[in-house]
């Protein structure tokens, strides 16, 4: 599981870890667009999923935008 999290496509971890992973993917592949899906498999309810989405858009997205400008 640790190898999958580290090397796979799953975005699992703290906002800083996810930001680092997305920036590394950009460095490796030069992509300008990220498609990120939030699946309910790991989340217990809508409020938890919403919390993860809010965290992603508040803490990850602004850093990615600033770094890729």
């Amino acid at each position: 599981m640790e190898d999958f999290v580290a090397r796979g496509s799953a975005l699992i971890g703290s906002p800083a870890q996810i930001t680092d992973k997305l920036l590394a993917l950009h460095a490796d592949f030069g992509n300008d667009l990220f498609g990120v899906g939030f699946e309910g498999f790991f989340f217990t309810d809508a409020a938890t999923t919403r919390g993860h989405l809010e965290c992603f858009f508040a803490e990850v997205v602004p850093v990615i935008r600033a770094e890729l400008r």
Side-chain angles (χ1 to χ4, degrees):
M1 183 64 153
E2 289 178 18
D3 186 57
F4 172 69
V5 170
R7 298 178 193 200
S9 61
L11 298 174
I12 300 170
S14 69
Q17 291 170 312
I18 292 170
T19 299
D20 290 346
K21 189 167 192 176
L22 288 172
L23 291 173
L25 287 169
H26 173 74
D28 290 344
F29 300 107
N31 54 322
D32 291 324
L33 179 66
F34 295 101
V36 179
F38 286 80
E39 297 180 24
F41 181 76
F42 295 107
F43 309 134
T44 57
D45 56 39
T48 302
T49 301
R50 182 179 178 95
H52 287 286
L53 284 166
E54 289 172 350
C55 179
F56 182 79
F57 283 102
E59 298 185 41
V60 176
V61 171
V63 176
I64 297 292
R65 285 183 174 159
E67 289 288 327
L68 298 184
R69 284 192 180 160

